Amino acid sequence: MEENNQTMVSYFIIKGISDVPELQLPIFLLVLIIYLITFGGNMTILLLVCLDPHLHTPMYSFLRNLSILDISSSTVSLHKVLVTFLSHDNRVSFVGCTLQFYVFSCLACSELLLLAAMSYDRYVAICNPLRYSVLMNSRHCALLATACWTIGFVEVVPYVVLLSKFSCYKSNIINHFFCDLVPLIRLSCSDTSTLEMLTFIEGLLLLSLTPFALTIAPYVFIISAILRIRSSTGRLKAFYTCSSHLTVVVLLYVTLTCQYLRPTSADTLDSNKLFSLFNTAAVPMLNPLIYSLKNRDVISAFKRKLNIVKHQ
Ligand SMILES: *[C@@H]1O[C@H](CO)[C@@H](O)[C@H](O)[C@H]1NC(C)=O
């Protein structure tokens, strides 16, 4: 551990969720269980959507994208907790740390954009059903999904460029369970003002509020269209087709808001870790559950596959 004040850091030490020795096993087990549920749940959705022809629709191919994002982002953010417990090696190289931050942020940005694309899909399905198959043909959908991934992966580049220019760190101990931006900024003794400005302006306007607006705007039209439907069963049915997506959107944005709008005084770093754990671990775990428990199509696809297995 380098102790001199201004040091060229070649590796960081990830402090983890807690450094109390008695808590290491419970934390490891908790994270392992969360990770296995996330992996299993999203894999189930992925396989069902690939195997069941009834689920070969734009909405479910977007959902397949979402599952891939969820598996990847929880692997990127949680693997260090699991590996550290097993190997007792909590070091991570400077490049590894920057890479982890980059990939995690890209996946998060792509996820927000993908939710906006899914919102647009629901908008066309409910407000413009006769043109649905034309507007959401497979080429358009593939284009839309590619755009979400590409923009997500490009948006974060400025952060990484600025972060890689930091040369001076007060210490190399990261009080977090993965390399996130805020703990890294706190550690640095380089001039962080440009990066903080970028976080505030680009992070707030481009990375958060824009996808939020793009996700919510279609719902204004969806809800007014649903309210105009005369029969109450028709209204329920229309609402039903977008309720899973809406639940996922609300869950994600509520946890994001809770994490970022809280006061960032130094002593809240530990509670920040808990919020962060909820965001990075619980949301990807809950997404497939929300989509399967609330969704007749997914449940019946699951039953069909189970029956095939039983009858063999
Ligand atoms: C992502 O969604 C697009 C558009 O619906 C689809 O064409 C593509 O196959 C999906 N990708 C994956 C990996 O599921």
Side-chain angles (χ1 to χ4, degrees):
M1 221 181 290
E2 278 96 329
E3 277 299 333
N4 50 344
N5 248 356
Q6 309 212 331
T7 171
M8 184 70 204
V9 167
S10 57
Y11 66 88
F12 289 107
I13 289 170
I14 303 277
K15 202 168 151 195
I17 295 169
S18 160
D19 48 10
V20 178
E22 294 77 42
L23 288 179
Q24 297 312 305
L25 183 63
I27 288 175
F28 171 77
L29 291 177
L30 177 73
V31 171
L32 185 67
I33 290 169
I34 291 176
Y35 183 69
L36 289 178
I37 296 176
T38 308
F39 192 84
N42 283 295
M43 265 305 179
T44 309
I45 296 266
L46 209 60
L47 286 177
L48 277 183
V49 175
C50 287
L51 295 177
D52 198 299
H54 295 266
L55 301 182
H56 287 175
T57 65
M59 182 168 110
Y60 290 107
S61 66
F62 284 129
L63 184 61
R64 213 165 59 193
N65 282 248
L66 192 67
S67 291
I68 293 178
L69 280 173
D70 281 341
I71 292 177
S72 317
S73 77
S74 64
T75 306
V76 171
S77 62
L78 298 180
H79 79 276
K80 195 65 192 162
V81 179
L82 301 176
V83 171
T84 300
F85 179 82
L86 298 172
S87 69
H88 299 288
D89 183 4
N90 54 5
R91 288 173 308 169
V92 53
S93 70
F94 184 76
V95 174
C97 197
T98 313
L99 195 66
Q100 189 183 33
F101 161 70
Y102 176 65
V103 177
F104 179 75
S105 313
C106 292
L107 295 168
C109 289
S110 303
E111 177 149 351
L112 292 185
L113 292 170
L114 193 71
L115 285 177
M118 294 170 89
S119 211
Y120 175 69
D121 167 76
R122 291 298 84 210
Y123 162 75
V124 179
I126 291 172
C127 299
N128 215 339
L130 297 180
R131 300 194 58 213
Y132 184 74
S133 56
V134 179
L135 289 174
M136 299 305 285
N137 66 29
S138 57
R139 218 181 115 246
H140 287 174
C141 289
L143 219 61
L144 211 54
T146 314
C148 294
W149 286 86
T150 317
I151 296 172
F153 274 71
V154 170
E155 276 178 333
V156 189
V157 170
Y159 287 86
V160 175
V161 172
L162 287 176
L163 195 63
S164 64
K165 286 205 184 122
F166 285 7
S167 50
C168 162
Y169 286 93
K170 287 173 235 157
S171 140
N172 62 351
I173 301 174
I174 296 178
N175 185 13
H176 205 57
F177 57 93
F178 73 108
C179 292
D180 203 3
L181 192 61
V182 176
L184 282 175
I185 289 182
R186 291 227 176 107
L187 278 188
S188 179
C189 47
S190 302
D191 178 17
T192 58
S193 57
T194 321
L195 187 55
E196 281 176 75
M197 187 108 88
L198 185 77
T199 310
F200 187 70
I201 297 174
E202 196 202 328
L204 190 68
L205 293 182
L206 196 66
L207 307 190
S208 324
L209 287 181
T210 307
F212 180 69
L214 291 174
T215 309
I216 292 304
Y219 270 101
V220 176
F221 296 98
I222 291 174
I223 289 170
S224 72
I226 288 179
L227 291 180
R228 265 182 276 127
I229 297 175
R230 291 258 168 67
S231 74
S232 60
T233 45
R235 234 179 283 151
L236 262 183
K237 213 174 142 212
F239 180 71
Y240 207 82
T241 63
C242 54
S243 61
S244 305
H245 175 253
L246 193 58
T247 313
V248 170
V249 167
V250 170
L251 178 72
L252 191 70
Y253 278 101
V254 166
T255 54
L256 268 184
T257 314
C258 288
Q259 191 181 0
Y260 288 105
L261 288 191
R262 282 156 0 90
T264 48
S265 53
D267 58 320
T268 59
L269 208 56
D270 276 337
S271 65
N272 200 26
K273 277 197 273 190
L274 285 184
F275 270 99
S276 195
L277 187 65
F278 192 79
N279 249 354
T280 55
V283 171
M285 177 178 76
L286 293 175
N287 282 352
L289 294 179
I290 292 170
Y291 261 96
S292 44
L293 294 182
K294 292 191 64 177
N295 196 309
R296 287 194 205 110
D297 296 339
V298 174
I299 293 175
S300 50
F302 192 65
K303 285 190 184 142
R304 276 195 295 274
K305 289 287 163 266
L306 275 187
N307 277 337
I308 292 173
V309 173
K310 258 190 252 160
H311 292 154
Q312 267 169 1

